[in-house]
Amino acid sequence: MSYLDNNLKKTPLYDTHLKYGAKMIDFAGFAMPVQYESILKEHEAVRKSAGLFDVSHMGEIIIEGKDSEKFINYIISNNIAKISDNQAMYSPMCYANGTTVDDLLVYKFSNEKYLLVVNASNIDKDYNWIIENKSGYNIAVKNISNEVSELALQGPKAQEILQKMTEYNLDDMKYYHFDKINLAGVNCLISRSGYTGEDGFEIFLKNVDAQSMWEKILAVGEEFGIKPAGLGARDTLRFEAGLPLYGNELSDEITPLEAGLGSFVKFEKDFIGRDALFKQKQDGLKRKIVGFEMIENGIPRHGYDVCAQGEKIGYVTTGYLSPTLKKNIGMALISSKFANIGNEISIIIRNKPLKAIVTSKNFYKKNYKK
């Protein structure tokens, strides 16, 4: 660990990660486990049985007050009025020019109380953006990121494992719904959601309870083949499922429409960035995120140039040898005129153009409980 900056933030599970032999890296200013045994084995565990992630680096912001729903609908592009209490919603949050402040989850407790779960790299930026735009709204905003730990139990065996730890009938919890649940004697907020393309749960709890809960889940899950999983597997899993990562497929230079997230942009309401996004839609997208599969042998990496017909047309946003599909695949932001499925493009790998073909971004069929 000596090569890591001692000033990095640490989650309450830092010592536990070291105990389990994790390789730690700097991620968004946090010392986080990138892998334990290996990215491949942890990836396969989530696809076939279950994996347990520490995602306590994520940010949590509470918004409450009589104007909460009205305010949140103003700062996000999706329509929060469409969901019920104890339901969650995914949405981009945009600047006035239509590019992306962040993508986040909104948990609705009631019309007057919401929890926003934001990306670790954007906690301060998001909080400041919310404060800057709350004038005229009767709301209170509180950043509780340092008070909350979050674990993610993901995979086809996730429910069986968690069910052994609670009397709550998890069959009653639908996808993107949540509830307050007593889990192994600890009061938690549990959501049926995740970032892997598999069924699973995200568990919010007090920092003081995080370490013992981690150990309990791994102990109960041992018979099911559970493994602790790091950020490496988290990235390969979300990528196979076609899920965007802020800083790759979304950024302050990329709009939700360019990222293929038009279904989360609701033009029937007013929100920050609406006019710019509506104009972009009317004018037609000049570039968009696509999936691709390598025809020639080479592994695409983030930032590699993409070319077609002798000109640069974009760049790779994410690329891997897919652990599940055993193929070299990627996502890229490219000129729209080359974005049709089936088009041939070239990825510049070690200064050599290697052939690839444009595909759907949904490389892996998501396995969520409806």
Side-chain angles (χ1 to χ4, degrees):
M1 280 299 299
S2 59
Y3 61 92
L4 278 184
D5 185 347
N6 288 329
N7 293 321
L8 290 177
K9 298 175 186 176
K10 297 178 175 66
T11 77
L13 287 163
Y14 174 80
D15 290 335
T16 306
H17 298 316
L18 298 184
K19 169 186 169 182
Y20 279 86
K23 177 183 177 181
M24 307 296 286
I25 63 166
D26 176 353
F27 182 81
F30 287 82
M32 295 296 294
V34 66
Q35 66 180 65
Y36 300 84
E37 190 174 353
S38 79
I39 292 174
L40 180 60
K41 289 182 179 179
E42 292 158 28
H43 181 110
E44 290 179 340
V46 175
R47 288 280 181 251
K48 296 176 180 177
S49 54
L52 181 62
F53 301 83
D54 175 18
V55 286
S56 302
H57 59 313
M58 299 290 281
E60 293 85 17
I61 299 170
I62 292 285
I63 295 178
E64 54 187 330
K66 71 175 188 178
D67 290 341
S68 295
E69 180 181 291
K70 183 179 177 182
F71 173 71
I72 291 171
N73 248 354
Y74 176 61
I75 62 168
I76 68 171
S77 63
N78 211 340
N79 190 351
I80 200 68
K82 299 290 186 181
I83 66 171
S84 306
D85 293 359
N86 285 58
Q87 192 171 354
M89 173 177 276
Y90 170 83
S91 181
M93 180 167 66
C94 297
Y95 293 107
N97 68 357
T99 63
T100 314
V101 180
D102 200 3
D103 62 331
L104 47 86
L105 285 176
V106 182
Y107 289 79
K108 180 179 180 178
F109 295 97
S110 70
N111 287 337
E112 296 189 6
K113 185 176 181 180
Y114 296 82
L115 168 68
L116 275 54
V117 179
V118 304
N119 285 300
S121 58
N122 293 333
I123 296 171
D124 292 339
K125 180 181 75 171
D126 289 2
Y127 176 76
N128 291 334
W129 179 251
I130 289 167
I131 296 299
E132 286 172 20
N133 287 283
K134 77 180 188 70
S135 178
Y137 292 91
N138 187 348
I139 58 167
V141 181
K142 185 178 181 183
N143 181 2
I144 61 168
S145 303
N146 293 331
E147 303 170 25
V148 178
S149 292
E150 183 184 353
L151 309 181
L153 177 61
Q154 300 283 293
K157 299 293 184 181
Q159 180 171 332
E160 286 185 73
I161 294 168
L162 215 58
Q163 193 62 75
K164 286 180 171 288
M165 302 173 65
T166 183
E167 295 181 0
Y168 184 100
N169 185 357
L170 293 171
D171 278 335
D172 293 339
M173 186 179 291
K174 296 178 181 178
Y175 184 54
Y176 263 52
H177 285 70
F178 67 94
D179 210 342
K180 293 178 180 178
I181 294 175
N182 185 294
L183 187 66
V186 176
N187 292 323
C188 305
L189 187 150
I190 299 182
S191 169
R192 190 165 212 137
S193 56
Y195 195 49
T196 62
E198 301 295 336
D199 189 20
F201 301 87
E202 294 179 295
I203 303 162
F204 300 85
L205 68 171
K206 292 179 180 177
N207 291 337
V208 69
D209 296 317
Q211 197 165 5
S212 61
M213 185 62 70
W214 175 273
E215 298 284 9
K216 288 175 185 176
I217 293 173
L218 288 180
V220 172
E222 185 175 5
E223 65 177 291
F224 297 96
I226 193 174
K227 287 185 182 296
L231 294 179
R234 182 172 165 86
D235 198 40
T236 55
L237 289 158
R238 71 90 193 165
F239 163 66
E240 285 184 348
L243 300 171
L245 175 65
Y246 191 89
N248 292 43
E249 288 73 42
L250 283 169
S251 75
D252 58 8
E253 297 181 349
I254 303 172
T255 74
L257 299 183
E258 292 172 331
L261 300 174
S263 61
F264 303 103
V265 177
K266 307 301 184 184
F267 290 111
E268 71 270 14
K269 71 182 186 83
D270 186 31
F271 62 90
I272 299 173
R274 181 193 181 279
D275 292 347
L277 290 172
F278 188 75
K279 185 177 188 306
Q280 185 179 58
K281 183 178 181 180
Q282 292 296 103
D283 292 347
L285 296 175
K286 293 180 173 58
R287 58 181 191 165
K288 60 177 65 174
I289 298 282
V290 299
F292 66 86
E293 179 182 332
M294 297 300 300
I295 298 173
E296 296 185 292
N297 191 33
I299 300 177
R301 301 293 187 194
H302 173 77
Y304 284 7
D305 286 345
V306 181
C307 294
Q309 298 178 3
E311 63 175 297
K312 180 182 174 181
I313 62 166
Y315 63 92
V316 175
T317 58
T318 304
Y320 283 108
L321 168 60
S322 164
T324 302
L325 305 176
K326 314 301 183 189
K327 296 177 180 179
N328 292 322
I329 56 176
M331 288 190 279
L333 181 63
I334 67 171
S335 171
S336 294
K337 66 179 181 179
F338 298 102
N340 291 335
I341 290 177
N343 279 0
E344 187 177 294
I345 56 177
S346 294
I347 313 300
I348 309 303
I349 301 177
R350 296 190 181 93
N351 296 318
K352 184 179 179 182
L354 299 180
K355 293 179 182 178
I357 190 168
V358 175
T359 68
S360 165
K361 298 190 298 291
N362 299 317
F363 304 107
Y364 176 79
K365 185 179 179 182
K366 301 177 183 67
N367 185 25
Y368 300 137
K369 179 184 175 69
K370 299 301 182 183

